[in-house]
Amino acid sequence: MVKVAVIEDDLPTSNQLKTWIEAAKPGIQIDQWFSRDDAEAAIARENYDLVVLDIELGRERHAGVAIINAINKQHATPVLVVSAMPATIYRSIMKALDAWDYLQKATFEEADFIETFLEMLRSVKERKQHKESQSAAYKEAAKSPAADQLSMDPLRQRTPIWRGQRINLPLTAQRILAALCLPAVARWCRMKTCMKSSRAGATATIYASMYRRYAMPFVKLMPTLNA
C-alpha cells in the first residue's frame, strides 16, 4: 500500500489535502502530522512513498526546510511543498533542496494539486519497479555460472558486477577495465607483478596508485588478490 505523509499545522488545510489525495487515489494510507517534532519522528520511523508539507509549522517559519533535509538524509522521498510563502522566492529554494514541486496556497486549484500528485505517484512506482528489476538482476547474476566474471557496461554507466556484487568504480576505471578486455582480475594481478619488477620509480609509483585506486574494490571481495 502506498503511504503518504501530510505535514500541515492547519487542521482544515490538512484535511482538505487529505480529501484531495483520497479523491486522486483511493486506498492510500495517509498520515497527518501537525508539528515539526512529530513529523520528523514519523519520517525516522516510517518509510513514506511521498510527502506533502508546509514550510511554516506553528511558530517555526522554516520548519519544512529542516524536515526536507531530514528526508533527504534518510529516504530521499519525493516531497511536494504546499505553502503560503511566495513562490517567486521559495520555489527555487525548494528545488535546490530536491523538492519535487512547489505550490503556493490560494493560487492553484484542486485539479492542479491532483495532477502534480499523480505525476509524483507514477514516478514513485517507476522507481520501485526499477529497483526491483535491478535487485532481481543482481540475484540472478549471483546464481549464474558466470558470476565470477566481471559484468560491466561503461557506455551506459551501469554499476559493474563481480561475483554477484556491485563494485564501486569511477567511470574512468570502468573504461580502463573494458579496454583491457576481461577477465580483469588477471589483468590486475599482472599489473601488480609489473609494478614490483619495474625499475623506473615514476612508473612504479603510477602502477601503485592505479592498483590502490582501481583494484582494491576487488581485493575487498577476494583478499587473496592482495597476496
Side-chain angles (χ1 to χ4, degrees):
M1 177 184 291
V2 176
K3 297 173 64 177
V4 175
V6 175
I7 304 171
E8 166 64 61
D9 62 330
D10 181 66
L11 181 58
T13 302
S14 178
N15 288 338
Q16 180 66 78
L17 293 172
K18 179 181 179 182
T19 299
W20 287 352
I21 292 172
E22 290 173 336
K25 197 74 173 178
I28 288 180
Q29 176 182 327
I30 304 171
D31 294 341
Q32 294 172 273
W33 307 107
F34 302 93
S35 69
R36 173 181 170 179
D37 290 341
D38 289 344
E40 288 182 336
I43 288 167
R45 183 176 64 251
E46 305 288 344
N47 188 10
Y48 289 108
D49 296 291
L50 194 149
V51 173
V52 179
L53 66 78
D54 190 4
I55 296 176
E56 188 174 5
L57 300 175
R59 294 185 178 182
E60 293 192 70
R61 186 173 177 83
H62 296 104
V65 174
I67 293 173
I68 291 176
N69 286 329
I71 291 171
N72 290 339
K73 289 179 181 178
Q74 296 184 53
H75 307 298
T77 305
V79 176
L80 173 59
V81 180
V82 180
S83 175
M85 302 290 193
T88 52
I89 298 174
Y90 282 88
R91 175 173 280 114
S92 60
I93 296 175
M94 294 301 106
K95 288 287 188 179
L97 292 173
D98 289 333
W100 179 278
D101 203 351
Y102 185 96
L103 298 178
Q104 183 178 341
K105 292 178 180 177
T107 66
F108 66 90
E109 302 293 335
E110 176 182 353
D112 300 319
F113 176 86
I114 290 178
E115 181 181 359
T116 304
F117 183 83
L118 290 177
E119 183 182 354
M120 294 175 71
L121 280 185
R122 284 190 289 269
S123 177
V124 168
K125 182 179 179 180
E126 290 173 0
R127 186 173 63 177
K128 280 187 174 181
Q129 290 175 341
H130 179 68
K131 285 184 177 180
E132 289 172 358
S133 64
Q134 274 194 328
S135 177
Y138 293 145
K139 290 180 180 179
E140 191 64 29
K143 297 177 182 177
S144 170
D148 281 344
Q149 297 181 5
L150 180 65
S151 173
M152 61 187 303
D153 188 349
L155 292 179
R156 296 185 179 181
Q157 300 187 25
R158 291 177 178 169
T159 305
I161 301 174
W162 187 51
R163 295 192 163 191
Q165 298 189 46
R166 286 177 284 185
I167 304 296
N168 184 23
L169 288 176
L171 185 58
T172 299
Q174 295 184 40
R175 289 171 175 167
I176 291 174
L177 284 177
L180 289 173
C181 300
L182 305 180
V185 174
R187 297 286 184 176
W188 289 124
C189 292
R190 293 179 190 176
M191 186 187 74
K192 190 179 179 185
T193 301
C194 183
M195 176 191 72
K196 290 180 179 179
S197 61
S198 174
R199 295 182 179 180
T203 303
T205 300
I206 292 173
Y207 279 136
S209 176
M210 291 179 64
Y211 179 80
R212 284 194 298 270
R213 184 176 180 184
Y214 298 154
M216 288 311 295
F218 295 96
V219 173
K220 289 179 181 179
L221 292 181
M222 188 175 178
T224 55
L225 289 177
N226 205 30

